């Protein structure tokens, strides 16, 4: 193993130790609880547990099909028309669901399709009966498609952008129509990207927590992650929580392993390259069909956002702003999100620096264990969802003291580690490029440590670090997974307070809070997108 002679390697080792402590502590809690009540853990594998597993897989399969299949055609429609008014706006709008907290989107979907939603009268008239609302499987599917259709569309569009211009020029010279062009040029590229995109969407649906919690509507629509939450917070059945958690870890591990084999990205990207290119011209019929597809997708994605804004504006925002609980939750969210983003950036930068130094010292030959860990350590957290880490620490800490008193520490650390894959994607390319330019000169001049970071690396890293910080802060602000377990009357964030207002049927207050939370998160991610695009330019 590489000797930690460089302070950057030492920083990377500390970052890996922090990740190992967080995940290892969660597993320790699960193992200790399972060993303490072996018979209870085994007895938890009952018909209810099997029903939860079936529903988890079933809703993920349906959500994947409903998200990915339309995305194929929407992406092709956008690629066939690289220049039309509003195309850039549509692509930017398709990036916004990545930034929108799940609980805000759920509220927007309820405002549209709920029992008292904007479309309730129309849907009831079409069905010939009073509209019952959208809770249950239908609500989960609509929400998952809202989030994943735009993501899949952008990923397929990115794949289509890789088709070489020579193929299109040849197709144009041969007078190739839309159907042959799709069959011979576009479909082979889409088919190659399809398994990775579908696998990514499936993983996001399997690990979905907030959507199922808010729109599930009862025991018949419960996934493994929601079952863990219910077992700890409502039933206080640690044995069942352990069984559900182990199944969730196994399921997520299998999905991530499959994604790795397929070469898929497990973090997505809000800033995919979408440079326009002139393709084979489309006929009138094809243009009309493509326009209809794009407009339908645009309305489906924009609808919940518009409903959230309209419902929020209709709330008594002045009264909400004057409530002590709202002000305290806002302050708590801001402080915890700031600390989480700061920790995430520090850990990500440490791993990035350590990986680069170890790669330079190795030069050739197989990678050491430490270099491999620095390269993939942050991605390991994708195998263990936040609710699973929270459950493990919840079970461990309940034997030590007051679990709910540790809420700030748990929220900050778990959200920081969960944002690391996104932060590393923003930081690593800039740091590697800066190292390529300055590494030898810094070694000759003896510049190292804090002096090097401040004088040499900082000018190149300033914008990528700001991008990573803004995105990590947005993710932490909108997260409900950990605070749902550890939150209490004394420690509340905006998502936790929003969930509480929804649970007590104070829908107007919930709409106002959703508008506030959504605007802040969108502003942060738009800032991250702007900073990132400025860095690439």
């Amino acid at each position: 193993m590489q000797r930690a002679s460089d302070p950057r390697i030492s920083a990377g080792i500390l970052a890996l130790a922090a990740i190992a402590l967080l995940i290892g502590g969660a597993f320790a809690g699960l193992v200790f609880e399972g060993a303490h009540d072996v018979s209870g853990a085994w007895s938890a594998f009952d018909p209810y547990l099997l029903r939860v597993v079936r529903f988890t897989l079933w809703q993920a399969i349906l959500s994947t099909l409903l998200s990915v299949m339309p995305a194929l055609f929407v992406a092709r429609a956008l690629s066939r028309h690289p220049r039309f008014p509003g195309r850039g706006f549509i692509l930017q709008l398709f990036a916004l669901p990545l930034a929108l907290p799940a609980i805000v989107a759920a509220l927007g979907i309820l405002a549209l399709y709920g029992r008292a939603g904007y479309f309730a009268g129309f849907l009831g008239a079409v069905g010939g009966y009073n509209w019952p609302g959208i809770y249950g499987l239908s609500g989960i599917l609509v929400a998952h498609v809202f989030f994943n259709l735009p993501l899949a569309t952008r990923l397929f569009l990115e794949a289509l952008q890789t088709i070489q211009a020579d193929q299109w020029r040849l197709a144009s010279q041969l007078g190739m129509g839309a159907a042959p062009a799709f069959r011979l040029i576009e479909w082979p590229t889409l088919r190659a990207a399809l398994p990775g995109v579908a696998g990514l969407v499936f993983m996001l649906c399997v690990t979905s927590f907030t959507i199922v919690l808010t729109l599930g509507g009862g025991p018949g629509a419960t996934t493994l992650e929601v079952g863990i939450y219910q077992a700890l917070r409502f039933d206080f059945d640690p044995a069942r929580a352990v069984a559900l958690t182990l199944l969730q870890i196994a399921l997520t591990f299998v999905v991530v392993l499959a994604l790795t084999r397929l070469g898929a990205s497990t973090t997505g990207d809000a800033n995919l390259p979408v440079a326009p290119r002139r393709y084979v011209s489309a006929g009138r019929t094809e243009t009309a069909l493509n326009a209809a597809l794009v407009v339908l997708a645009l309305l489906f994605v924009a609808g919940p956002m518009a409903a959230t804004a309209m419902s929020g504006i209709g709330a008594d925002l002045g009264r909400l702003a004057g409530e002590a609980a709202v002000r305290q939750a806002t302050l708590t969210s801001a402080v915890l999100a700031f600390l989480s983003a700061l920790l995430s950036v520090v850990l990500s930068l440490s791993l990035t620096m350590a990986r680069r130094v170890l790669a330079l010292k190795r030069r050739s030959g197989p990678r050491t264990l430490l270099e491999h860990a620095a390269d993939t350590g942050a991605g390991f957290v994708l195998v263990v969802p936040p609710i699973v880490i929270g459950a493990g620490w919840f079970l461990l800490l309940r034997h030590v003291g007051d679990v709910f008193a540790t809420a700030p520490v748990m929220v900050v650390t778990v959200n920081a580690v969960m944002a690391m894959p996104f932060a590393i994607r923003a930081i690593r390319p800039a740091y590697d490029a800066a190292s390529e330019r300055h590494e030898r000169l810094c070694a000759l001049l003896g510049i190292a440590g804090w002096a090097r970071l401040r004088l040499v690396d900082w000018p190149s890293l300033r914008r990528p670090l700001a991008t990573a910080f803004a995105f990590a802060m947005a993710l932490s602000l909108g997260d409900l997974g950990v605070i749902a377990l550890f939150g209490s009357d004394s420690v509340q964030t905006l998502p936790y307070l929003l969930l509480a207002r929804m649970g007590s049927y104070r829908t107007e207050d919930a709409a106002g809070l959703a508008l506030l939370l959504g605007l802040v998160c969108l502003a942060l991610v738009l800032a991250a997108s702007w900073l990132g695009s400025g860095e690439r330019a």
Side-chain angles (χ1 to χ4, degrees), residues 301-439:
V301 174
M305 299 184 191
T308 300
M310 292 171 62
S311 300
I313 293 172
D316 191 349
L317 298 177
R319 179 182 57 80
L320 279 176
E323 287 188 18
V326 174
R327 293 200 302 268
Q328 183 61 41
T330 303
L331 178 62
T332 301
S333 293
V335 172
L336 296 182
F338 178 86
L339 294 175
S340 177
L342 183 62
L343 179 60
S344 181
V345 168
V346 170
L347 293 175
S348 300
L349 180 60
S350 300
L351 286 184
T352 299
M353 293 189 302
R355 184 200 66 86
R356 176 65 178 172
V357 174
L358 291 168
L360 289 174
K361 291 190 174 185
R362 172 175 52 86
R363 296 186 182 276
S364 62
R367 295 195 300 178
T368 63
L369 179 61
L370 181 57
E371 182 185 351
H372 183 75
D375 190 26
T376 61
F380 183 73
V381 302
L382 298 172
V383 182
V384 191
I387 193 68
V388 171
I389 296 178
W393 279 97
F394 188 97
L395 294 171
L396 183 65
L397 293 173
R398 76 187 187 94
H399 298 287
V400 179
D402 184 6
V403 172
F404 303 106
T406 63
V409 176
M410 294 307 306
V411 170
V412 168
T413 54
V414 175
N415 287 342
V417 173
M418 289 300 159
M420 284 181 64
F422 299 92
I424 287 177
R425 290 192 64 167
I427 296 171
R428 179 179 290 179
Y431 185 83
D432 287 352
S435 174
E436 187 72 25
R437 293 192 301 267
H438 304 135
E439 194 70 39

Side-chain angles (χ1 to χ4, degrees), residues 6 8 438-448 452 456:
D6 193 301
R8 291 173 292 178
H438 304 135
E439 194 70 39
R440 183 173 299 178
L441 181 60
C442 289
L444 291 174
L445 297 178
I447 302 176
R452 169 178 173 156
V456 179

